[in-house]
Amino acid sequence: MPQPEAGNWHALPAADLLEALGTSSTGLSQAEAARRLERFGPNEGAPPERDPWYRILGRQLSSVVVLLLAVAALVAAAFGETAEAVAVGVVLLINVVIGFVVELRARGAMEALEDLEVPEALVLRDGRELALAARELVPGDVVVLAAGDAVPADSRLLVGSELSTIEAALTGESLPVVKSVDPVPEDTVLAERCSMVYRGTLVAAGDGRALVVATGGRSELGRIRELLVSLRSEPTPLEQRLTVLGRRMVVVALGLGAVVAAVGILRGNELWLMLETGLALAIAAVPEGLPVVTTITLALGLQRMAARQALVRRLPAVETLGSATVVCSDKTGTLTSGRMSATTLWTSERELDLGAQPAGSVPTARAALHCAAQANRAALDPEGEEGVGDPTEVALLAAARRAGLERSALLAAEPETGEVPFSSRRMLMATFHRPIEGGREGDVIYVKGAARALISRATSLLGPGATLQPLDDAGRDRLLEVNGELAGRGLRVLALARGTLAAGCAADEEALSNLTFLGLIGLFDPPSEGVAETIEALRDAGVRTIMLTGDQARTAEAVGRSLSILGPGQHVVDGRELPRETEELSSTLATLGGLSRVTPKDKLRVVRAFQQAGDVVAMLGDGVNDAPALRQADIGVAMGGRGTDVARQAADIVLADDRFETIAVALREGRTIFTNIRRFVFYLFSCNLAEILVLFVSGLLGLPLPLLPLQLLWLNLVTDVFPALALAVEPAPAGIMSEPPRPPREGILTRDFTARIAGYAVVLTIATLGAFVLTLEAGGPAATERAVTVAFASLAFGQLFHLFNARSGGRPLGLRRLLTNRWAWGAVVLVAALQLAALFLPWLQRPLGTVALEAGDWLRVAVASILPLLVGQALAWFRPRKER
């Protein structure tokens, strides 16, 4: 017996397969099935691997910034600085708890695959039908399938009667796939293997028996599971940038600490004083509020996106979408509605747009739609255009209803007497009807199917005024040309014809001759609402949209053109023609607009190719076949309503409203979040750098320590955090969606950005040290303590007013912009009140080392506080407009 991994079952005749698998059309014996179950294992996937809680907790502690804070807390505790150690510990605890709770709720991205497991199957054992758990199926079993059943294992069809399956979740094919017992070529793509049925898909119509050839992890569903398991979540761009920032902060803290310590020792200062100064520098170098503010900012963005129906499963994903340069999207159910619609009807009189032109008043069109409603097995809801059955037949009934033709009324006038069901050999289906009113010699035959199949059986054409015209070879060629022209628009084309059953003839296939050709009807899976506008908005934002679909190339090309996905020089590539080599694939990306007939592996390769080219890739999908690409992409986005659980759980973001346009809303939110992150990084780093420079310069000049360690913690956790949080909710700048995406490899600290941070830090430093030195020189009682308090107050209020420089983002802060963020004003009032409390309340003065100030001291504080804001706004006015 060959191994089930052989994979060419679709290409072998059924008799050869039965012999190869050591079985028969009556199935295995119970004893042999038990032996094979022992050999191949149960027909189920391995349980999903779940991260234990302690591993999730460990990830929260792995940040370089968090580790540096932890070291600072330990050092403070070791030297008896309990207050400093506790303060840093509280910051760590808040950050870790928030991150842990969010990720704990989001774990288990693989669990939903279990929902596609088929719990029970009907199988032949010892020649008898037997219902048993699907997990007990083995290669060689023969399963019995009927309409509505879920396929329990990958199987080769042995016997089928009008069998079709819905495979959209697995292959992306939007229409039910008609199955046949005939083998297909070995190189046939998955979506066209008509001789196979696959685990996890649904039987749409018909019945049959199939030979199980692959179970468990060897099935196509199992292979997708293996792809998912093999993929590891990569750090998001934001996580990578924050890691780089953290490393730089470590280098700065250690380098400055070493320089100051060395200078102090060379000057003969006490060792303890140098250790205290080093600790103060470490505290000043690390913006303790950065992890907390970043986490809260992302959480606030998560809430705003949830209000817009975009549900986020991983916090950093909120910002990552704003970095996207490429959006790869599944077509069916994502770009399109997933519901067929009859859009075009061609008859000898004229071509009608069924969405805009009435068809009921055109005799030939009415006759064609009458036929479409009668040769039909679907059922339409009493109101609207939804229904049950094959989506194509539902669409035909809806088109007939718009023309005033209800199938129930038609059947009442012409009861059905017989049927020739659809088959892949005939490529048509027909129904026979006996009119209640006399006047006809026999039953009426209504036929629909492939154009070639009906044209070859037609001898006449229904002409203008419902007259019959002879149909010769030239007329048939003309009909084939029209069929090709409609198909070239990406429409699925069906032909419609009618005939008469002669008295005494059987209602079977032999009666389907001498038909009257009625017309051609084109069906289309329409774009979802707002998709075209969203794609245009993404293009304006510099983001490419790439369509990935299991449909045929002509359909994909038509959809791509209609939605303006395909730009100049871009085209759709058939998945079978996709270059196998990475270098060749990379060279095709510039002209790639879409892929047809893609497999899950193809989608994965395309996403990886764009990533290797330096792009940040967002992947949108709703099916099982999209799950590996969703996991691999920098940001996976799944549809929440019609999407499979596998897709939703593999994604980072779920669109609860299933609206493609929500992706543009989420992208705007992501860009806004990153802009605000840069704002508060600018604010925090310029403030912290100012604290470093104040300590560093005073150490080099041999001045007393102008700021105490606990004062630095107060500045970092009170003066810094609340304004930074206000920056996190700053409204989006005008034109944010007309700007190109950030370069994927660009860090937060660009050269210009770093220069601005350094410049403002120098201004804050000069103002603070100036006030400090002037207070020392003024002398008086407790001059040193007063000078330290003046430096503390000057830097606190200077940083607070510096908030408005951060809000302006290098632009002058006009009155309208000044009033847009009420949280900023709330932060100013709150922090000013807390800072005044630190200066006046005795129970805060003692731990912080502050003392009462004189009138002259307050004047120096006022000048030093307002100076950075005035300098910042003056620089913004004189900055070249193109750089603002």
Side-chain angles (χ1 to χ4, degrees):
M1 177 180 172
Q3 290 295 316
E5 292 92 346
N8 63 341
W9 313 110
H10 56 279
L12 300 176
D16 293 350
L17 273 177
L18 290 170
E19 181 179 355
L21 291 176
T23 185
S24 70
S25 59
T26 59
L28 298 169
S29 66
Q30 288 283 31
E32 176 61 20
R35 284 192 292 270
R36 295 191 183 192
L37 185 61
E38 181 71 22
R39 175 181 175 185
F40 296 114
N43 178 35
E44 60 186 9
E49 181 182 351
R50 302 179 185 178
D51 284 340
W53 65 268
Y54 56 82
R55 189 174 297 169
I56 296 175
L57 182 61
R59 280 200 290 270
Q60 314 310 314
L61 299 171
S62 61
S63 164
V64 177
V65 178
V66 169
L67 291 175
L68 188 57
L69 288 174
V71 170
L74 291 175
V75 171
F79 287 101
E81 301 292 339
T82 306
E84 288 89 335
V86 170
V88 176
V90 169
V91 175
L92 284 172
L93 182 63
I94 293 172
N95 188 67
V96 168
V97 168
I98 292 175
F100 177 73
V101 170
V102 170
E103 189 167 347
L104 189 65
R105 293 178 60 187
R107 75 176 181 178
M110 291 291 297
E111 296 175 16
L113 279 167
E114 303 305 315
D115 294 339
L116 285 179
E117 300 293 345
V118 183
E120 195 172 81
L122 194 62
V123 62
L124 294 181
R125 292 275 175 90
D126 294 316
R128 294 180 292 111
E129 290 188 2
L130 175 67
L132 49 73
R135 68 185 307 275
E136 297 179 23
L137 290 179
V138 295
D141 267 327
V142 175
V143 293
V144 180
L145 303 172
D149 288 348
V151 179
D154 287 7
S155 307
R156 172 67 160 81
L157 196 63
L158 300 177
V159 178
S161 175
E162 325 305 335
L163 187 73
S164 62
T165 60
I166 299 173
E167 300 180 351
L170 182 65
T171 66
E173 172 62 62
S174 57
L175 299 173
V177 180
V178 177
K179 297 299 180 180
S180 168
V181 298
D182 300 325
V184 296
E186 188 170 344
D187 60 352
T188 303
V189 296
L190 185 68
E192 297 177 359
R193 294 177 185 173
C194 300
S195 58
M196 295 287 295
V197 290
Y198 294 102
R199 175 176 167 222
T201 62
L202 295 173
V203 178
D207 53 57
R209 294 184 178 183
L211 174 66
V212 175
V213 295
T215 58
R218 301 176 185 89
S219 66
E220 292 298 328
L221 185 62
R223 294 182 187 191
I224 292 176
R225 182 195 298 275
E226 291 176 0
L227 281 177
L228 281 173
V229 170
S230 66
L231 298 175
R232 296 289 178 236
S233 296
E234 297 293 329
T236 67
L238 178 61
E239 290 171 320
Q240 295 171 3
R241 293 178 179 116
L242 290 178
T243 298
V244 171
L245 280 180
R247 290 172 180 166
R248 291 181 180 178
M249 283 188 286
V250 170
V251 172
V252 170
L254 295 178
L256 288 175
V259 170
V260 171
V263 171
I265 292 171
L266 289 175
R267 289 186 171 181
N269 292 331
E270 296 180 4
L271 179 61
W272 168 248
L273 178 60
M274 289 301 96
L275 289 175
E276 185 180 21
T277 304
L279 176 61
L281 270 171
I283 294 173
V286 181
E288 284 83 353
L290 180 60
V292 175
V293 175
T294 302
T295 302
I296 293 177
T297 301
L298 295 177
L300 290 173
L302 183 150
Q303 292 178 357
R304 289 195 298 270
M305 291 176 72
R308 301 290 190 94
Q309 303 299 308
L311 310 179
V312 182
R313 298 180 63 249
R314 289 182 63 215
L315 274 183
V318 179
E319 180 275 335
T320 305
L321 189 57
S323 308
T325 58
V326 173
V327 171
C328 293
S329 178
D330 177 46
K331 179 185 80 68
T332 305
T334 304
L335 296 175
T336 61
S337 65
R339 296 188 300 271
M340 297 299 294
S341 175
T343 60
T344 304
L345 177 61
W346 182 93
T347 69
S348 62
E349 287 187 272
R350 57 173 154 157
E351 180 181 317
L352 291 172
D353 180 350
L354 293 177
Q357 298 172 283
S361 59
V362 181
T364 52
R366 189 174 181 85
L369 291 174
H370 184 139
C371 174
Q374 291 287 54
N376 203 302
R377 284 290 170 262
L380 206 59
D381 294 341
E383 296 181 3
E385 298 189 356
E386 301 294 328
V388 178
D390 186 299
T392 299
E393 295 192 327
V394 171
L396 294 177
L397 290 180
R401 172 175 286 177
R402 291 196 296 270
L405 299 171
E406 290 285 348
R407 188 164 190 264
S408 57
L410 297 178
L411 285 173
E414 298 177 331
E416 185 176 324
T417 59
E419 174 191 15
V420 175
F422 180 87
S423 77
S424 56
R425 177 183 61 82
R426 289 187 294 266
M427 297 304 292
L428 57 80
M429 70 92 65
T431 56
F432 298 80
H433 299 261
R434 182 161 299 157
I436 297 296
E437 299 179 1
R440 289 184 179 270
E441 297 181 358
D443 290 356
V444 182
I445 309 170
Y446 294 107
V447 191
K448 79 171 189 297
R452 288 184 180 277
L454 269 66
I455 289 172
S456 65
R457 296 171 183 264
T459 57
S460 62
L461 173 70
L462 188 68
T467 59
L468 294 183
Q469 300 176 351
L471 187 62
D472 54 17
D473 288 343
R476 292 188 180 93
D477 290 342
R478 169 60 184 151
L479 292 177
L480 290 174
E481 288 178 9
V482 174
N483 174 71
E485 194 273 329
L486 293 177
R489 302 181 202 172
L491 300 175
R492 185 190 186 196
V493 184
L494 290 178
L496 302 165
R498 74 184 180 198
T500 302
L501 180 66
C505 293
D508 56 20
E509 185 178 354
E510 296 297 324
L512 306 182
S513 59
N514 297 319
L515 301 176
T516 298
F517 195 87
L518 302 176
L520 297 163
I521 190 165
L523 299 106
F524 190 58
D525 184 6
S528 297
E529 182 181 356
V531 168
E533 294 81 3
T534 301
I535 290 172
E536 186 65 30
L538 292 176
R539 182 179 292 108
D540 291 342
V543 181
R544 287 179 62 186
T545 302
I546 307 296
M547 178 176 61
L548 307 177
T549 177
D551 278 338
Q552 298 183 20
R554 295 184 80 172
T555 302
E557 188 86 23
V559 172
R561 298 292 179 197
S562 67
L563 294 176
S564 299
I565 292 176
L566 304 180
Q570 293 183 335
H571 57 277
V572 173
V573 176
D574 192 296
R576 292 165 290 192
E577 301 172 1
L578 199 65
R580 299 294 107 184
E581 298 298 327
T582 302
E583 293 76 11
E584 293 182 34
L585 177 57
S586 299
S587 66
T588 67
L589 296 181
T591 59
L592 182 65
L595 277 175
S596 63
R597 287 301 190 214
V598 291
T599 65
K601 287 186 177 179
D602 292 334
K603 294 184 179 184
L604 192 60
R605 291 180 60 228
V606 169
V607 169
R608 282 175 170 164
F610 275 111
Q611 289 175 325
Q612 291 173 4
D615 286 291
V616 175
V617 182
M619 172 69 199
L620 276 76
D622 59 0
V624 178
N625 59 323
D626 299 313
L630 288 169
R631 176 70 67 83
Q632 173 65 35
D634 297 289
I635 183 75
V637 184
M639 296 298 176
R642 60 176 172 263
T644 61
D645 283 340
V646 181
R648 289 195 296 267
Q649 295 294 334
D652 302 294
I653 294 177
V654 177
L655 304 183
D657 58 0
D658 283 354
R659 292 163 62 88
F660 182 80
E661 58 191 312
T662 304
I663 196 67
V665 174
L667 189 143
R668 175 186 173 86
E669 187 65 44
R671 288 191 172 188
T672 302
I673 287 169
F674 183 76
T675 300
N676 288 344
I677 286 175
R678 291 196 72 174
R679 282 194 174 105
F680 70 67
V681 165
F682 166 77
Y683 176 77
L684 290 174
F685 275 52
S686 54
C687 292
N688 279 68
L689 183 56
E691 295 165 13
I692 293 170
L693 291 175
V694 166
L695 294 173
F696 184 67
V697 173
S698 63
L700 291 179
L701 298 177
L703 298 172
L705 198 64
L707 295 170
L708 303 178
L710 204 55
Q711 290 176 349
L712 288 167
L713 274 176
W714 176 273
L715 290 171
N716 288 351
L717 299 180
V718 176
T719 310
D720 289 357
V721 169
F722 292 111
L725 285 174
L727 290 171
V729 294
E730 187 73 17
I736 193 170
M737 286 298 286
S738 61
E739 299 174 358
R742 301 185 305 276
R745 293 185 175 87
E746 180 182 278
I748 294 177
L749 295 181
T750 62
R751 181 175 300 178
D752 177 67
F753 191 63
T754 304
R756 288 181 58 221
I757 289 174
Y760 282 104
V762 168
V763 174
L764 284 166
T765 301
I766 292 173
T768 302
L769 283 179
F772 176 69
V773 171
L774 290 175
T775 305
L776 284 176
E777 292 180 350
T784 302
E785 289 78 3
R786 284 179 25 250
V788 169
T789 303
V790 165
F792 176 47
S794 298
L795 192 51
F797 286 113
Q799 290 177 351
L800 183 58
F801 294 138
H802 179 49
L803 165 67
F804 296 102
N805 289 328
R807 285 191 62 199
S808 67
R811 302 174 177 88
L813 194 61
L815 181 61
R816 178 178 297 181
R817 184 79 181 176
L818 190 66
L819 300 176
T820 54
N821 188 350
R822 67 179 185 275
W823 297 103
W825 288 101
V828 168
V829 172
L830 176 62
V831 172
L834 290 172
Q835 187 62 33
L836 290 173
L839 297 174
F840 285 102
L841 296 180
W843 58 274
L844 281 176
Q845 284 181 326
R846 283 190 295 273
L848 289 173
T850 60
V851 296
L853 298 179
E854 299 175 353
D857 300 331
W858 280 110
L859 179 60
R860 285 186 284 272
V861 169
V863 173
S865 301
I866 200 69
L867 183 63
L869 174 61
L870 297 177
V871 171
Q873 290 305 297
L875 291 174
W877 276 107
F878 288 104
R879 192 179 187 194
R881 182 171 295 275
K882 65 178 181 179
E883 296 179 13
R884 293 180 182 177

